[in-house]
Amino acid sequence: MVDNLQDWWNTLAPTEQQTLQLIQIKLDNGPENSGVRTQFLNRLVAFSDHIGTAIQLLYYPPYHSKYNPIERCWGILEQHWNGTLLTDVDTLLGWASTMTWKGNHPVVTLTQKIYKTGISLTKQAMKGIEKRLERHPQLPKWDILIHPI
């Protein structure tokens, strides 16, 4: 996810990058992007520092996917390819790039990078990352703010 955020950031004009004071990311609290996932939080802190912009992570509560816009987007995509056999990568990318949602075509790219699994920070290293996270007092699991240094 952080690699894709970096790619998105690189598409912005420098003037647009400078005007952004906060990037707000809405997440489903799945296992890959949980608010306790050490490697994910570590990479987001590093990304925030690199771009000099604050990042706010807002998590949807469990079983509330109906409020998550990406879940509605997936439904539109499933209707768009309507039972097409996705037998190869080119077919999948072709169908995904031709769908529209709210009048827009998605940006579709194929990531070839292979990510190692089972990587996590030690408890000691995570203490340093946790100091960088401002967790909302009433919603510490659902609202996390990362300030760049």
Side-chain angles (χ1 to χ4, degrees):
M1 182 182 288
V2 180
D3 288 340
N4 289 323
L5 285 170
Q6 182 69 56
D7 291 345
W8 164 77
W9 182 261
N10 292 337
T11 67
L12 300 177
T15 53
E16 196 173 4
Q17 290 176 349
Q18 292 169 357
T19 60
L20 283 176
Q21 297 178 355
L22 175 69
I23 297 172
Q24 195 175 69
I25 305 172
K26 297 175 183 174
L27 301 154
D28 66 2
N29 217 353
E32 294 84 15
N33 57 23
S34 164
V36 295
R37 183 76 178 223
T38 62
Q39 186 65 10
F40 176 66
L41 294 171
N42 180 46
R43 292 204 57 212
L44 276 174
V45 166
F47 177 63
S48 176
D49 290 346
H50 176 71
I51 64 173
T53 304
I55 298 174
Q56 184 178 24
L57 307 176
L58 297 170
Y59 289 92
Y60 289 100
Y63 310 108
H64 285 75
S65 60
K66 63 185 175 188
Y67 299 115
N68 188 343
I70 194 65
E71 296 296 339
R72 283 182 248 136
C73 181
W74 291 130
I76 299 298
L77 178 59
E78 287 176 356
Q79 288 177 358
H80 175 66
W81 59 36
N82 192 22
T84 299
L85 294 177
L86 304 173
T87 55
D88 55 63
V89 171
D90 291 332
T91 302
L92 178 103
L93 294 174
W95 276 98
S97 64
T98 59
M99 73 164 274
T100 57
W101 186 54
K102 295 187 175 184
N104 296 310
H105 289 286
V107 175
V108 179
T109 59
L110 175 64
T111 301
Q112 299 271 1
K113 186 172 181 179
I114 297 172
Y115 294 89
K116 294 180 181 179
T117 60
I119 298 173
S120 61
L121 273 63
T122 64
K123 288 183 181 186
Q124 186 64 28
M126 192 55 196
K127 284 181 184 179
I129 296 300
E130 196 63 45
K131 288 179 183 176
R132 299 285 312 283
L133 307 178
E134 182 182 329
R135 294 181 182 269
H136 190 280
Q138 281 83 37
L139 301 168
K141 292 182 180 179
W142 314 111
D143 185 347
I144 303 170
L145 185 60
I146 303 167
H147 294 284
I149 55 172

